[in-house]
Amino acid sequence: MVELLPVATALPPHCIEADEAKHQVDAYFGPSAARRYRQMVDGSRVRKRYTVAPVPDLLNLRTLQERNEMYAEHTRNLGETVARRALSAVATAPDLVTAVLSVSCTGYMMPSLDAHLVGRLGLPATVRRIPLTELGCSAGVSAVGLAADLLAGPSAGHVLLVSVEVSSPSIQVAEPSMTDMIANLLFGDGAVGVVLTNPTTGAGPLVVASQSVLLPDSLDHLGMRMTDAGFRIVLSNRLPRLIQQSLRPTLERFLNDQGASRT
C-alpha cells in the first residue's frame, strides 16, 4: 500500500482582507460597479487571501512578461520552502526521494518547478521529474493518484509532491468581466507539499484507489485562457448545475468499483 504522510503548507507574506479588497474596489471603479463588486466581496465569504506582492505592486503590473516573471520567481521560492517543510516533517532525506511531482497552472516555466527543486533541495540527479499543468483545481488530487501509481509494486520509494499556485499576478482591473472579478476575489497564492511512501509507516492515511473522470460536454465550462493581460478565468454559469447532476452518480460508481459506499 501507499501512504500519504502529513501535509506541509507555505504562504507568501502579504495578506489582503475583505475590508481592504472593498477599499481597492472603491478606488478603481465607478459607484455602480463598485457597489456590485463590494457585494461580491461579501458574498464570496473569503475573509482574507495571501499574495506574493503588495496590492499596489499587483495593480501596477501591465505586461504578460511582468506577470509571468513574478509568478516564476515566487513559485520557485514557495515551492522550495514547502518542499523542505514536507521532507522535514516526516524526516525524509532528500537523497531518498525517487520521484518529484510539481503541480501548477497559474503561470509558465520551462524548466519546470521540479527541475529547480533538484538543485535547491539536493535531490538525486536521477530523480524522476513529472510536471503537472493545466489540471486546475483537480491537479492536487490527480497528482496524489499518480504518485500512488508510481509507488505501486514491490520497490520501496518516496515521492515528493509540491503544488504551488500564484494567482495574484493575473489580477484584472482593466474592464474586468464578472468572471474576472470572481477570480480576483477568490484566488490567492500558496503552496502545499507532501511525501508519499511505500512501504507504509503508520503516520498517515493509505491511498487505496483513484480515478479521473471527464464529464461529457464540459470543456467550455471551466478553464483559463491566455491573453495579453495574463491568464483570465473561464467560468460558465452552467457549471453548478452540471456538477449537481454529475457528482453523486460519478462518486457512487467509483465507490462501487472499490466495493465501498457513501454510508
Side-chain angles (χ1 to χ4, degrees):
M1 301 296 292
V2 175
E3 184 176 26
L4 182 72
L5 298 178
V7 174
T9 60
L11 294 169
H14 304 283
C15 178
I16 177 170
E17 298 192 1
D19 287 342
E20 184 182 355
K22 289 191 280 190
H23 172 74
Q24 295 293 341
V25 162
D26 288 340
Y28 269 82
F29 302 103
S32 178
R35 188 180 310 111
R36 182 168 68 253
Y37 295 148
R38 286 171 62 91
Q39 291 172 346
M40 290 174 63
V41 173
D42 292 331
S44 73
R45 294 186 289 181
V46 176
R47 301 277 61 86
K48 62 182 178 181
R49 291 169 301 132
Y50 289 86
T51 60
V52 296
V55 172
D57 292 355
L58 297 172
L59 294 176
N60 284 329
L61 293 172
R62 292 293 179 266
T63 68
L64 178 58
Q65 180 176 347
E66 289 175 339
R67 296 173 188 271
N68 198 69
E69 286 178 351
M70 181 177 286
Y71 159 85
E73 175 188 355
H74 292 284
T75 293
R76 289 190 293 266
N77 293 338
L78 280 170
E80 178 182 357
T81 297
V82 82
R84 290 188 182 280
R85 289 177 182 174
L87 292 170
S88 175
V90 296
T92 299
D95 59 1
L96 296 179
V97 175
T98 52
V100 55
L101 277 62
S102 64
V103 176
S104 189
C105 70
T106 44
Y108 174 79
M109 284 200 311
M110 192 169 73
S112 50
L113 172 61
D114 45 278
H116 291 275
L117 293 178
V118 172
R120 290 183 175 217
L121 300 177
L123 302 178
T126 56
V127 69
R128 185 171 184 182
R129 299 187 294 106
I130 305 175
L132 298 180
T133 63
E134 286 98 40
L135 284 178
C137 299
S138 67
V141 69
S142 296
V144 169
L146 177 56
D149 290 343
L150 293 174
L151 290 170
S155 299
H158 297 78
V159 173
L160 172 63
L161 191 165
V162 177
S163 177
V164 185
E165 297 299 355
V166 178
S167 305
S168 62
S170 288
I171 186 171
Q172 301 294 329
V173 292
E175 300 181 358
S177 67
M178 189 64 69
T179 53
D180 287 332
M181 286 304 298
I182 291 173
N184 291 345
L185 296 174
L186 289 183
F187 300 128
D189 306 332
V192 62
V194 66
V195 175
L196 292 93
T197 185
N198 175 16
T200 62
T201 67
L206 301 180
V207 181
V208 177
S210 65
Q211 185 181 69
S212 175
V213 178
L214 181 63
L215 301 179
D217 303 319
S218 62
L219 295 182
D220 297 330
H221 293 334
L222 181 64
M224 301 279 277
R225 59 190 180 92
M226 175 64 78
T227 72
D228 290 340
F231 284 117
R232 305 184 84 151
I233 193 170
V234 175
L235 183 61
S236 167
N237 58 13
R238 296 171 54 196
L239 183 62
R241 184 170 181 81
L242 176 65
I243 294 174
Q244 184 180 44
Q245 292 173 338
S246 305
L247 182 58
R248 184 187 295 268
T250 300
L251 177 60
E252 289 178 342
R253 284 193 297 270
F254 171 70
L255 291 174
N256 287 339
D257 289 344
Q258 312 309 320
S261 66
R262 293 189 299 114
T263 56

